[in-house]
Amino acid sequence: MDNTVIQDYVKTFKRYRTPVLAVLATLMLVSSAVWTFDVPWQDIASYFLLCVVGVGVVALLSAALVFALKRLRG
């Protein structure tokens, strides 16, 4: 195996390590809530959907604000 291929793999691994670990930790936390406290998966799914919609609304409002400020400044 070529040394540059290994270096590229290590660079890619380091780049995505933190987001992947964050997602895995979140999945473990949610799973423990479901199994330990008997929270139904449907409730978790509805809360997740609500969070996704909320983040989407915040992102859209932020984009609109940036667009408006750039437009006002010229």
Side-chain angles (χ1 to χ4, degrees):
M1 202 181 242
D2 191 30
N3 195 20
T4 58
V5 173
I6 294 171
Q7 289 175 346
D8 289 342
Y9 174 76
V10 170
K11 186 177 179 181
T12 301
F13 175 76
K14 285 183 178 181
R15 173 189 234 175
Y16 293 110
R17 177 179 50 197
T18 301
V20 168
L21 288 176
V23 169
L24 288 175
T26 302
L27 287 174
M28 290 180 69
L29 181 66
V30 168
S31 298
S32 70
V34 169
W35 292 319
T36 303
F37 303 110
D38 293 327
V39 177
W41 280 105
Q42 292 80 12
D43 288 350
I44 299 292
S46 65
Y47 293 139
F48 176 73
L49 182 61
L50 181 65
C51 289
V52 168
V53 170
V55 168
V57 167
V58 169
L60 286 174
L61 290 174
S62 299
L65 179 63
V66 167
F67 178 76
L69 289 175
K70 284 188 175 187
R71 191 108 160 130
L72 288 174
R73 290 186 179 171

